Amino acid sequence: VYTLTTLINCFCRLHKLDFGFSVLGKMLKLGLEPNTVTFTTLINGLCIEGKVAPAVRLLDEMVETGYKPDVITYSTIVNGLCKIGNTNVAIKLLKKMEERGFEANVVVYSTIIDGLCKDKVVTHALELFSEMKSKGILPDRFTYSSLIQGLCNLGQWKEATRMLNEMIAMNITPNVFTFNILVDAFSKEGLVSKAQDVVQMMIQRGEQPDIITYSSLMDGYCLQSQMDEAKNVFNLMVLKGFAHDVFSYNIMINGYCKCRRIDEAMRLFDDMSQIGLVPNSITYTTLLGGLFQVGRVQAAKELFKEMRAFGQLPNMMTYSTMLDGFCNNGHLNEALELLQAMQDNGLDPD
RNA sequence: GUCCAGAGAUGCAGUAUG
């Protein structure tokens, strides 16, 4: 049962939920009793696909057939609810869980706190934060990281700093996640030198920056149109032994596109394939926007074709970019054609 | 015996509105 549950978990993470359920079928056929962990794993698989309603149904079936969920089962669904933006329902489920005699733990609380922070209702998150502490549940790195991120996104730097100090005082050492949140927040706010300070601080504290740290920093420079600085970070990453990924390329490509330096962006795009990275729909959408911005309508049309030829499906953002590009360049008829084509492909304009 | 099957935090793209 342990082995097969592990297998189910693997399938879930590979987005092969059907296979996961087949394994459950096999288990039953072999006369093996699935247990709470097996069901929780499948429930998580459903949540990963955003199928939270079926996940809840599975929980109900589980209870009806006599299998006992536990706190992890509940928190799995709580997480699913939060990820699809139903934080309020998640809170209700937390209460229900407690009514049924399960004790909340730091994971459920942190999950909800994170959801509230992402919804930008940090005051509510802080209320839950006090609530958990009053129940004697100690916050951990996850809890503090979510709160720090929420506060930063609202520009409440003082409060964010206070949180950081509080966590250190509580002997919960910030890790690479925590620092990366700060680097990203400062970068997005245009305070790249502050972001640099955080990188220095983390190195001093013995926490090694990773590819996300440097990518965030790069993005900060790009947003300030400081492409030389961004390029320096890009090169520094290689020197430090990091292999660039699609994200780091996309960030640089976006930087060049926004500065109307489309040729340099295209060069990076070519480099990507050279080193075996597969450009994704974000890469293409970024470049399409860049091409239209400098009036290269024909090149954009060709790239749009190429993207589909390489199996990258245009999404809503890609179409918006195309439509906007056509309109701004006086190709209204092509915009209308594309709008039609998009609907024919089953994508409803938003 | 908080290692030994399951839950939580970090980086990239568009339009309109503001």
Side-chain angles (χ1 to χ4, degrees), chain A residues 235-278:
Chain A
N235 294 334
L236 176 72
M237 288 166 78
V238 178
L239 289 177
K240 296 243 179 193
F242 293 108
H244 282 296
D245 61 9
V246 176
F247 279 66
S248 54
Y249 268 97
N250 285 351
I251 291 167
M252 284 301 289
I253 289 174
N254 186 40
Y256 283 123
C257 285
K258 290 295 175 316
C259 292
R260 309 178 136 253
R261 292 163 66 170
I262 189 67
D263 294 317
E264 284 151 290
M266 290 304 288
R267 205 169 306 139
L268 283 174
F269 174 66
D270 293 334
D271 293 347
M272 268 177 101
S273 316
Q274 292 284 327
I275 64 167
L277 288 175
V278 181

Side-chain angles (χ1 to χ4, degrees), chain A residues 78-91:
Chain A
V78 164
N79 182 42
L81 287 165
C82 289
K83 291 290 160 357
I84 61 167
N86 277 337
T87 321
N88 290 329
V89 183
I91 294 172

Side-chain angles (χ1 to χ4, degrees), chain A residues 95-115:
Chain A
K95 301 288 175 235
K96 206 191 270 181
M97 176 186 108
E98 290 180 303
E99 280 165 19
R100 292 178 184 169
F102 297 95
E103 261 190 40
N105 62 18
V106 61
V107 176
V108 210
Y109 267 102
S110 300
T111 305
I112 294 180
I113 287 172
D114 184 62

